[in-house]
Amino acid sequence: MIQRLAVIGVGLIGGSLALALRRAGAVAEVVGCDRAPEALERAAARGVIDRGVREPAAAVAGADVAVIGVPVRAVGQVLAELKGAVAAGTAVTDVASVKGAVLAEAEAVYGEVPGWLVPGHPIAGTEYSGVEAAFPELYERRRVILTPVTATEAAALARVRAMWEAVGSTVVTMPAEHHDEVLAATSHLPHALAYALVDSLSGWDERQEIFEFAAGGFRDFTRIASSDPQMWRDICAANRANVVDALRRYQADVERLTERLAEGDDEAVLALFRHAQQERARFLRLLEGRS
Amino acid sequence: MIQRLAVIGVGLIGGSLALALRRAGAVAEVVGCDRAPEALERAAARGVIDRGVREPAAAVAGADVAVIGVPVRAVGQVLAELKGAVAAGTAVTDVASVKGAVLAEAEAVYGEVPGWLVPGHPIAGTEYSGVEAAFPELYERRRVILTPVTATEAAALARVRAMWEAVGSTVVTMPAEHHDEVLAATSHLPHALAYALVDSLSGWDERQEIFEFAAGGFRDFTRIASSDPQMWRDICAANRANVVDALRRYQADVERLTERLAEGDDEAVLALFRHAQQERARFLRLLEGRS
C-alpha cells in the first residue's frame, strides 16, 4: 500500500497509473504535479489526483513513490528540480521510452545515478495523450521493464516493482542498453516507418486518391502515425544510434525483398511472407498467453 | 434484383457478397461454384448459397451476374473454363486485387476483353480467408473500383454497379493501370512492409525477447502480416512493376529520414512526423465522411 503517490506529469501514462492504483486500493493519496494548471484541474475533476502542486520538489515531499510521468525530453529537467528534495525512503521512477537517456540525465544532474531512482518503462500506451485519455485498465497484463543499476537501492526497486504488479503488470528487469535495443526494434522503428509511409504517400501525385482508396489494412498499419509527433521525435533522438541501426537493418531486408520481387524470385517472396505469417502467429500466442 | 447470382469461388469475398445481397433482398437465388466440395457444403450450411456446382460453366448458366471470387492467380483458369458458356445478357465480374493482370488473362483466353466482363475490386477484406469468415456487413460504406475497357457492355457495367450499390458500397470507375498504381501504394506496399518487418525482427538476435516486449502498436502495425502469404505473394507478382516501384520510392524516403536522424537534423524529423500525423488525420476524416 502506497500512502502517498506523487505523479509528476499527469498525462495518459501517469494518470492511468493513478487510476489503476486507486481502483486496486493500492494507494491512499495521490498528489499530482504539472506545469499546466488546467491539467491538474482536469485530473482532479476526473478523480485522478487528490490535490495538485506546481513544483516537483513539493510533490515528492512525504511521498513513498514518485512517478515521473513526463516525456523523455523533460525527465532531465524534473530530475534537476528534485535535487535535494528526495527524502530517504522515497522511491522515484520514471516511464520514459528510452532508458539510457534517463541514466545519462541522472548522471549529469547528480554525478552518478541516485540510489532512489528506479528507471522504468511500462510497455503500454495508445496513440492518444493527456489525462483525458487515461484509463485504469491500461496496464493490465502488460510488461513493465525496470533497468536498475548497481547503485539502485533494493528497497526502492522492490517498491516500484510492487506498484506495477498491483495494477496487473508483469515486471522484468534488464540493463538499460538492452532495453533500448529491443524497444528500438519493436516500438521506435515501427513508429518511424508508419510516419514515413504516410508522409511518403501524401507526397505522391495521386495524393487525394491514395487515401481515398485506402481501407482497414492501411488504417491499422498507420494507426501509430497518429501519435504525438514531438514525443516520438524526442524518443528517436534520445535513442538515435539504436533507431538508426534498426532502420538500416530493416532497409537492408526490404531491399533484399524488393530485389527478389523485381527479379521474379517469387518462391523467395513466398517463403518470406510465409515465415512472417508464422512468426506473427507466434507473437499473437505470446500476447494471448499473458491473458 | 438479381434473379440468379453465380459465385465462382465461395470464400470471404464472394461469400460476404452473397450474404449481403440476400440480406438486402437483392438476389433471388445464389449458385455457388468451388473446386472444394467441402467449401460448398459449408457455404450451403451457412445459408450463403442455395446450391453448389463444381464447374464454372454450369454455375454461369442462366445467371444474371457471375462473380469470380477467386484469388488473382486463379482468375485466368476460370475465364478459360467460362469460354463459350457465357450467354448474352449475363454480366461477369471479378474481385481480384490487380486489374491489369485480369485484363491480360482475358485477352490471352479470348483474344480481346469480352464485353460481358466487368473487372472489379472491392476495397474491403480482413486478414482471414474462407467462407467461414464471410459476413454481410463487409461492403458497407466501402469503395468498389470497376475498371471497364472500351469494349465493356454498358448493360453489364450497370448491372455490376447496381449489385455493389445494393450492398452499401460506392462504385468508382478508373483505368486498370491507374487502379494498380494506387493499390500498390495503399495496399500491396503496406502488406509487403508488414511481412518484411516481422520477418526481419524474427531474424534478429534478441528474437524471443523482441516479440515478448512488443505491444499494441506493433500488433496493429503487423496485423496484415497475418494475411494469406500465398495470396499476397500472387498479388505482388501480378502487380510486380508497381509494387517494386512503390517499395523503391518508400525506401528512398525512409533512407532520407534515416539520414536526417543519423546526422541529428531533429527539426527535419519532427517536420516529417508532424506532417504524417496531419495527413493521417485527414485520412481518418475521409473514412469518417463515408459513414
Side-chain angles (χ1 to χ4, degrees), chain A residues 2 18 37 40 54 92 106-107 180 197 204 210 218 232-233 258:
Chain A
I2 298 171
L40 292 176
R54 297 290 294 278
V92 180
E107 283 168 0
D180 291 353
L197 181 67
W204 293 21
I210 274 183
F218 183 79
W232 281 95
R233 188 280 304 265
T258 307

Side-chain angles (χ1 to χ4, degrees), chain A residues 87-153:
Chain A
T90 298
V92 180
T93 188
D94 76 303
V95 298
S97 305
V98 186
K99 303 321 314 165
V102 168
L103 292 176
E105 297 280 4
E107 283 168 0
V109 172
Y110 294 92
E112 59 181 4
V113 179
W116 43 257
L117 180 64
V118 184
H121 181 208
I123 313 299
T126 74
E127 71 269 42
Y128 305 109
S129 308
V131 72
E132 294 78 7
F135 59 101
E137 298 83 7
L138 181 58
Y139 303 111
E140 287 175 8
R141 299 188 300 276
R142 308 309 282 267
R143 304 277 155 147
V144 173
I145 300 176
L146 302 179
T147 64
V149 296
T150 317
T152 307
E153 292 161 11

Side-chain angles (χ1 to χ4, degrees), chain A residues 22-215:
Chain A
R22 279 185 190 282
R23 204 177 54 164
V27 65
E29 185 191 11
V30 180
V31 180
C33 172
D34 210 289
R35 286 284 153 69
E38 59 281 9
L40 292 176
E41 282 163 27
R42 290 193 305 263
R46 283 203 61 193
V48 174
I49 62 172
D50 294 300
R51 59 189 175 87
V53 298
R54 297 290 294 278
E55 303 301 326
V60 82
D64 309 290
V65 181
V67 177
I68 303 176
V70 303
V72 64
R73 73 174 170 282
V75 172
Q77 178 63 27
V78 171
L79 286 173
E81 295 185 28
L82 286 179
K83 200 162 187 178
V86 180
T90 298
V92 180
T93 188
D94 76 303
V95 298
S97 305
V98 186
K99 303 321 314 165
V102 168
L103 292 176
E105 297 280 4
E107 283 168 0
V109 172
Y110 294 92
E112 59 181 4
V113 179
W116 43 257
L117 180 64
V118 184
H121 181 208
I123 313 299
T126 74
E127 71 269 42
Y128 305 109
S129 308
V131 72
E132 294 78 7
F135 59 101
E137 298 83 7
L138 181 58
Y139 303 111
E140 287 175 8
R141 299 188 300 276
R142 308 309 282 267
R143 304 277 155 147
V144 173
I145 300 176
L146 302 179
T147 64
V149 296
T150 317
T152 307
E153 292 161 11
L157 178 59
R159 197 172 295 173
V160 171
R161 177 191 287 272
M163 175 184 75
W164 285 114
E165 290 175 349
V167 297
S169 287
T170 300
V171 174
V172 178
T173 62
M174 65 174 69
E177 308 76 50
H178 191 51
H179 167 278
D180 291 353
E181 280 172 32
V182 171
L183 271 289
T186 56
S187 175
H188 312 169
L189 172 63
H191 277 80
L193 295 176
Y195 283 125
L197 181 67
V198 177
D199 180 70
S200 183
L201 293 194
S202 76
W204 293 21
D205 292 337
E206 303 87 351
R207 172 179 159 142
Q208 182 65 34
E209 254 183 355
I210 274 183
F211 291 125
E212 184 77 17
F213 297 107

Side-chain angles (χ1 to χ4, degrees), chain B residues 93-164:
Chain B
T93 188
D94 77 303
V95 298
S97 305
V98 187
K99 303 320 316 164
V102 168
L103 291 177
E105 296 280 6
E107 283 168 1
V109 172
Y110 294 93
E112 59 180 5
V113 179
W116 44 257
L117 180 64
V118 184
H121 180 207
I123 313 298
T126 74
E127 70 268 43
Y128 305 109
S129 309
V131 71
E132 295 79 6
F135 59 102
E137 298 84 6
L138 181 58
Y139 303 111
E140 287 174 9
R141 298 188 301 277
R142 308 308 282 269
R143 304 277 157 147
V144 174
I145 301 176
L146 302 179
T147 64
V149 296
T150 316
T152 307
E153 292 161 11
L157 177 60
R159 197 173 294 174
V160 171
R161 176 191 289 272
M163 175 185 74
W164 285 113

Side-chain angles (χ1 to χ4, degrees), chain A residues 218-230:
Chain A
F218 183 79
R219 186 185 60 225
D220 286 358
F221 190 75
T222 59
R223 181 177 71 81
I224 50 182
S226 287
S227 305
D228 182 341
Q230 184 165 0

Side-chain angles (χ1 to χ4, degrees), chain B residues 168-221:
Chain B
S169 286
T170 300
V171 174
V172 178
T173 61
M174 65 174 70
E177 308 76 49
H178 191 51
H179 166 278
D180 291 354
E181 279 172 33
V182 171
L183 271 289
T186 55
S187 174
H188 312 168
L189 172 63
H191 277 80
L193 295 176
Y195 284 124
L197 181 67
V198 176
D199 180 70
S200 183
L201 293 194
S202 76
W204 293 22
D205 292 337
E206 304 86 350
R207 174 181 157 140
Q208 182 65 32
E209 253 182 356
I210 275 183
F211 291 125
E212 183 77 16
F213 297 108
F218 183 80
R219 186 186 58 224
D220 286 359
F221 191 75

